[in-house]
Every structure is written in C-alpha cells, then in structure tokens.
Amino acid sequence: FSFEVIRPEQPDAPGWEHTPAFGVRGVAIIPGTGEYELATSPVNYDLGDGVMQSANVSTPAAEPDFAHCVEAVCEELPNLEAASLVVSWFGDDLRCGDCTVRPKVEQKEVDSPEMPWTSGGIDRSAAEVIVQDDGRPVYGGTPTDAAVIEAIQALSAAGKAVMYYPFILMDPFKGNELPDPYSDNGFQPDLPWRGRITLSEAPGRPGSPDGTAQAVSEVDAFFGTATAADFAVVDGVVSYSGPAEWGLNRFILHNAELCLAAGGVEAFCIGSEMRGLTQIRGPGNSFPAVARLRGLATEVRSLLGPETKLSYAADWSEYFGYAPQDGSNDRYFHLDPLW
C-alpha cells in the first residue's frame, strides 16, 4: 500500500506544532485496486487439487497485508486522525453516452472459498476481466465487497475517521478502436484520465452537441436511472434490483450501501475530477452533469444519513469555475449549485 500524505502546506500552519511525524493527520490509501487487498482476514485462491495460493498475505509479518498496513500506519503516524479509502471501478469509454462504469476482476478461472468475489451485485462469473497486457491485467481488480467492509471496520476500530472515495479508472487500452471525442482521426488514448470523459464530440469541436438537448441525453445515459431504493443489504451482502445498466448512479450508490453495511463512514465522495463531464452544457447554458450530481448527492444522503459529510472532489482546474474557450469571455460558476 502507498499513503498519500495530507498535511498543512506550511510548517507554521495552525496546529502544526502539535502534530509530530510531519504533522500528518490524514492519508489516502491507494491504489484502490486488488480483489482482496483490503481484506483483514486471510484469503486464498483455490487452484484445485488441494492447492491454495494466498491472495493477501505477502509480508514477513505473515498477516493480511491490510491489517499489517493499518498497524504500521498507526505506529508510524501517531496523530493520524483520518484515512481516505479508495475503491475503484472501471470506465470503458471517454464518450459519456457510451461509457459504462463497472467492477472488474483480474481473472475468472479461480476464486476464494473463504471470500468469493462479489461487487456491484454480481459474482466473478458475471464480471468482466480487466484489459490485459502480455497476459497480465493492467490494473488490480475491484476489491470484493466483503474485503471493503473489513477495511472500513478495521480503520474505524483503530479510531480513524474514514472518508470513502469511489474512484473511476479508465481502461481503454492500446489497440482500442473507440473514436476519440477530442480528435478527427484518432482512437482513444491508453488508460486515459477520467477527467477526459466528455460528449460524443468534445465541446468546441465541430459537431459537438454541447449546449443542446442531445448533450443532456448523453449525460443522462452516463448517470443512469438507479436510485437508493434499488439497493438493499441482506446478511452483510449488498444486492441490486434496479435497471440492467452500469451508470455512475449504480456505482456510487452501491458503494454508499456498502459503507452502510460496514457500519457507516464519516465522509463520502460522490465523484472526483470529472471536469470534462461537469463542464458540459445543455440548453440555456445549463450544466446537466452538475444537476445530476446534486440528485445523486440526495440519494446518497438518504442512505448514509444526516451526519455523514458528502462532497464532490473537484479537479483544481474546475473548482473555480468554467471559462469556455469560445471567445465569449464568459465564466460560469457551474459547481456552485452542487456546493
């Protein structure tokens, strides 16, 4: 595991003198992938014929990696107060109207008898496999639901506030034939940034639907129609009974329900750094993705209750507004309704 340190920018910032270990009070636990990397109980893959292979014990401590990670960070950062727990699903297209966001696995051949992989309301047999490079997955798989629950509970038991961070990794890869919404004659780049998700043609390009009803339709397709009422927790397992789609709503609401199954979290992020999406305009200079994020926040609130802090983690290039490069010299504070 890696830890991204969150600390005051200046050594003389308020509170710095009271926080040893470089003033660290919060960390982000990354990369947010690996089918069993977040489990605190030992997990093995069943290779058949009585052969088992550990899925989450790889240190000399001979204990599950995440359990060892929590012990180490508590010892090394004694004033640590909070951790951002990153959990990744995968987007498959930069064109929002064609993009699905779903959990994926590293392989489909073997599973764990102790903790069979499930996420998003599906099991390993129904999941897609992450794109491969020379026979190896380019990312770790989505952490299984049971492992996520264990991780949340372990951090809470250690006295750390948890900010749950659903994360989109994009997996268009070399050799893909997906049209690039940012160019005339190219395909989408390898493993692009989620901040590049946009319309079928990006704003400012010829034929872009930006500013039209079609833009609203494409944004709506990306979010989908799943609601909080489509999810339930039965015996610690999150189930889904909504429409057969893989939109952003299903992604975020599944993970919110997962937090509820774990006993709750202190904060929850409904999305991050989707500047290409939030800057899409509908008719009358409306911002349909911002409106959908507001609705999504309301759905998450209905699951997690009034005490959980909710936010959208804006990219630095969008949080201060949107200035379209169309010669108008306009600036829209498009995220203000969401805040």
Side-chain angles (χ1 to χ4, degrees):
F1 292 93
S2 298
F3 297 93
E4 180 181 359
V5 173
I6 304 167
R7 61 182 178 84
E9 291 297 324
Q10 300 296 329
D12 59 354
W16 181 276
E17 66 276 10
H18 303 299
T19 54
F22 301 103
V24 175
R25 293 190 175 182
V27 295
I29 302 175
I30 55 177
T33 59
E35 294 176 358
Y36 297 104
E37 288 304 312
L38 298 182
T40 57
S41 55
V43 181
N44 298 282
Y45 290 112
D46 184 354
L47 304 183
D49 298 324
V51 178
M52 307 293 281
Q53 177 183 325
S54 177
N56 70 330
V57 178
S58 62
T59 73
E63 61 180 338
D65 297 337
F66 191 78
H68 184 62
C69 145
V70 173
E71 292 174 6
V73 75
C74 290
E75 179 180 343
E76 295 174 16
L77 304 175
N79 283 344
L80 184 70
E81 297 175 354
S84 298
L85 186 65
V86 179
V87 175
S88 298
W89 286 24
F90 299 88
D92 58 6
D93 201 311
L94 287 179
R95 300 166 298 168
C96 66
D98 297 280
C99 182
T100 65
V101 182
R102 65 181 75 204
K104 295 187 179 182
V105 295
E106 298 162 27
Q107 48 77 33
K108 299 184 76 165
E109 288 71 33
V110 297
D111 209 345
S112 166
E114 303 100 342
M115 190 180 287
W117 185 93
T118 61
S119 183
I122 59 174
D123 62 14
R124 186 180 296 273
S125 66
E128 292 187 1
V129 176
I130 294 164
V131 64
Q132 307 278 305
D133 186 24
D134 293 330
R136 295 174 61 86
V138 299
Y139 296 114
T142 296
T144 188
D145 283 355
V148 175
I149 290 174
E150 288 190 351
I152 293 171
Q153 292 175 340
L155 289 167
S156 297
K160 311 307 173 189
V162 177
M163 188 194 84
Y164 194 88
Y165 198 148
F167 199 91
I168 298 176
L169 290 169
M170 301 296 294
D171 66 1
F173 197 47
K174 58 187 178 183
N176 79 78
E177 298 183 354
L178 301 170
D180 183 3
Y182 294 93
S183 68
D184 290 324
N185 53 6
F187 298 125
Q188 294 182 20
D190 298 348
L191 309 179
W193 174 43
R194 64 195 178 284
R196 301 278 286 171
I197 296 173
T198 186
L199 294 167
S200 50
E201 291 288 345
R205 284 184 42 77
S208 173
D210 193 40
T212 70
Q214 181 183 337
V216 178
S217 296
E218 292 184 14
V219 168
D220 284 343
F222 178 69
F223 278 81
T225 58
T227 68
D230 296 323
F231 299 84
V233 177
V234 179
D235 296 329
V237 177
V238 177
S239 64
Y240 174 72
S241 58
E245 61 186 25
W246 291 101
L248 186 72
N249 275 21
R250 182 171 178 178
F251 167 45
I252 296 298
L253 292 171
H254 175 89
N255 280 279
E257 191 80 38
L258 198 55
C259 292
L260 188 63
V265 293
E266 282 69 28
F268 186 93
C269 191
I270 63 169
S272 63
E273 296 183 353
M274 293 188 289
R275 57 161 288 172
L277 190 72
T278 64
Q279 295 175 354
I280 291 170
R281 284 184 285 179
N285 290 319
S286 59
F287 290 88
V290 176
R292 291 301 306 264
L293 285 170
R294 294 180 69 190
L296 182 54
T298 300
E299 294 290 322
V300 173
R301 175 67 71 207
S302 73
L303 292 174
L304 296 183
E307 300 302 318
T308 304
K309 297 179 176 67
L310 303 183
S311 191
Y312 164 74
D315 182 62
W316 68 269
S317 63
E318 63 173 331
Y319 68 75
F320 55 83
Y322 173 48
Q325 302 303 299
D326 57 5
S328 65
N329 293 319
D330 288 336
R331 180 180 295 279
Y332 299 94
F333 296 99
H334 62 312
L335 293 177
D336 280 10
L338 176 59
W339 303 139

